[in-house]
Amino acid sequence: MKYKDYYEILGVKRDETQANIKSAYRKLARKYHPDVNKESGAAEKFKDINEAYEVLGDPQKRARYDQLGSSWQQGADFTPPPGFEGFDFSNFSNGNIHFGGSSGGFSDFFSAIFGDLMGGAGADTSRGGYREFNFGGGAGPAGGDFSRFYSNAQGANTSRAKASTKNLDITKDIVLNVNDLIKTPTKTVTLVDYEPCRYCRGQAKGSFCSHCMGTGLEKITKNLSVKIPKYVKEGQKIRLKNEGKADEYGQKGDLYLTVRIKDPNYKVTGEDLEKEIDILPSEAVLGAKKEIATVDGKINITIPKNTDSGKVLRLKGLGLPKKDGSLGNLNLRIKITLPKEISPEALELYKKLQSLGN
């Protein structure tokens, strides 16, 4: 087998402090994590980094490793020296061991030196379970950075028969505009949620996992096509079955989307729409013809003479559809505004109007 220089792999000195070793590991784990680094050989490098930290991050294993001496070179042929033979590693390389975020077992070199400390991984398989070694976080023999998770098939089967007591439903807002309410049968909704990290099972919170960066959570993004019900109103909920959270027994909750209606052009009240129309002072006094945009396209309307600011002009049948087949109204609220630029001639006319007391 080949000798592994764990100090060289982590890029640290042989007398480095435990804190600096942990810092070096974190930096390399982020750089070579398979979810981040897609270069050829990154996954193997990531596995070597995890193995190196499993040794150097645990004072007990580091002390045993240092007994081999410092004269070895990375990749040199290696035979366990006196005092290291005789360990039973037959259960250790049975393929049931994997790193968090990657697959595959420890190297033969690791097994030859530290197999006895692991107690024979895979021993639980006779009871229908598995053991996972995750170098991201959690409590364990590697100074708080080595965790073991156990699963018992018989117990899991019994638990699945029990109803989940967790609330698996999710409630989110869905924002719709007027066009969505009238013309859009479906809308794509991006659902972003956070679930316990699949690699450290959420156990790395407060410690470190190279997948979730120690938060214990990972971001889950789903794009869902949502059918917009007819006549849906503000505050109503749209239910998407089995799109909620899932528990460890395979049961799923529902996703409830609370309708929020927001439109830059209209205020929605029931089936009626309201929009603001700007007119000039002269148009308010003399009346005018205006072209406005509606849900059915552009139309021409007449502004009556002597129209006050705040007055509402009601246009029937240009609102939202009702369940009885009729349509709501479009209410135009008048707002008198000054022109952006006033010419000297116009300013003189305003002065004249002021002198007349109007």
Side-chain angles (χ1 to χ4, degrees), residues 3 6 14 47 53 82 84 93 99 108 116-117 123 154 172 181 197 238 247 249 266 268 315 320 324 332 338 349:
Y3 175 84
Y6 294 130
R14 299 187 74 86
K47 189 162 66 173
Y53 184 65
F84 286 85
S93 301
F99 296 92
D108 291 340
D116 64 313
L117 296 181
Q154 183 177 359
K172 299 284 186 181
L181 299 175
C197 176
I238 303 172
D247 65 12
Y249 312 119
Y266 300 98
V268 180
L315 304 181
L320 299 176
D324 63 5
L332 304 177
L338 293 175
L349 291 174

Side-chain angles (χ1 to χ4, degrees), residues 122-140:
D124 289 337
T125 56
S126 62
R127 298 192 294 273
Y130 66 87
R131 177 181 293 172
E132 175 182 342
F133 295 97
N134 184 303
F135 303 106

Side-chain angles (χ1 to χ4, degrees), residues 12 84 115 146 180 217 244 250 263 288:
V12 296
F84 286 85
F146 176 74
D180 294 329
L217 299 171
D263 194 290

Side-chain angles (χ1 to χ4, degrees), residues 259-278:
V259 173
R260 303 298 179 201
I261 300 175
K262 294 182 181 180
D263 194 290
N265 301 312
Y266 300 98
K267 177 183 177 182
V268 180
T269 306
E271 289 85 13
D272 290 344
L273 303 177
E274 181 180 307
K275 70 183 304 184
E276 204 169 58
I277 299 298
D278 293 335

Side-chain angles (χ1 to χ4, degrees), residues 20-61:
N20 288 342
I21 287 174
K22 186 173 185 177
S23 177
Y25 163 72
R26 289 185 174 186
K27 186 181 297 184
L28 291 172
R30 290 190 186 99
K31 180 178 179 180
Y32 290 100
H33 194 286
D35 288 348
V36 177
N37 194 322
K38 304 300 182 182
E39 295 180 4
S40 176
E44 190 65 28
K45 178 73 172 178
F46 180 71
K47 189 162 66 173
D48 284 343
I49 291 166
N50 275 314
E51 182 174 309
Y53 184 65
E54 170 57 24
V55 174
L56 302 185
D58 177 1
Q60 181 185 5
K61 294 190 187 72

Side-chain angles (χ1 to χ4, degrees), residues 32-285:
Y32 290 100
H33 194 286
D35 288 348
V36 177
N37 194 322
K38 304 300 182 182
E39 295 180 4
S40 176
E44 190 65 28
K45 178 73 172 178
F46 180 71
K47 189 162 66 173
D48 284 343
I49 291 166
N50 275 314
E51 182 174 309
Y53 184 65
E54 170 57 24
V55 174
L56 302 185
D58 177 1
Q60 181 185 5
K61 294 190 187 72
R62 183 181 181 183
R64 177 181 289 189
Y65 176 71
D66 287 345
Q67 290 177 16
L68 297 175
S70 59
S71 59
W72 293 95
Q73 292 184 349
Q74 173 80 4
D77 290 335
F78 174 79
T79 301
F84 286 85
E85 310 100 325
F87 298 120
D88 180 10
F89 310 127
S90 59
N91 288 326
F92 194 76
S93 301
N94 62 359
N96 290 328
I97 304 162
H98 58 281
F99 296 92
S102 65
S103 61
F106 294 104
S107 67
D108 291 340
F109 174 78
F110 180 96
S111 301
I113 307 302
F114 305 107
D116 64 313
L117 296 181
M118 312 307 294
D124 289 337
T125 56
S126 62
R127 298 192 294 273
Y130 66 87
R131 177 181 293 172
E132 175 182 342
F133 295 97
N134 184 303
F135 303 106
D145 290 284
F146 176 74
S147 56
R148 301 182 183 183
F149 301 94
Y150 301 90
S151 171
N152 187 289
Q154 183 177 359
N157 290 334
T158 302
S159 299
R160 289 191 187 99
K162 300 179 181 179
S164 176
T165 59
K166 296 180 181 178
N167 181 9
L168 303 176
D169 294 337
I170 299 175
T171 300
K172 299 284 186 181
D173 287 347
I174 179 172
V175 179
L176 305 176
N177 58 35
V178 168
N179 189 65
D180 294 329
L181 299 175
I182 298 175
K183 301 177 181 179
T184 306
T186 60
K187 188 176 181 71
T188 300
V189 173
T190 299
L191 179 65
V192 178
D193 207 348
Y194 291 85
E195 296 180 357
C197 176
R198 77 190 92 164
Y199 296 104
C200 70
R201 306 295 195 274
Q203 301 300 311
K205 190 173 183 180
S207 181
F208 182 71
C209 167
S210 56
H211 182 77
C212 67
M213 299 306 170
T215 64
L217 299 171
E218 64 175 309
K219 187 177 180 180
I220 305 296
T221 303
K222 292 193 295 185
N223 291 319
L224 303 175
S225 181
V226 181
K227 184 178 180 180
I228 307 301
K230 290 183 178 180
Y231 322 116
V232 70
K233 299 291 189 301
E234 171 81 18
Q236 291 183 342
K237 287 183 169 60
I238 303 172
R239 178 191 178 196
L240 276 67
K241 193 174 181 181
N242 294 329
E243 291 295 347
K245 297 178 181 178
D247 65 12
E248 60 269 34
Y249 312 119
Q251 299 180 89
K252 293 183 179 180
D254 299 330
L255 170 63
Y256 291 89
L257 298 174
T258 304
V259 173
R260 303 298 179 201
I261 300 175
K262 294 182 181 180
D263 194 290
N265 301 312
Y266 300 98
K267 177 183 177 182
V268 180
T269 306
E271 289 85 13
D272 290 344
L273 303 177
E274 181 180 307
K275 70 183 304 184
E276 204 169 58
I277 299 298
D278 293 335
I279 64 172
L280 299 173
S282 59
E283 293 174 326
V285 174

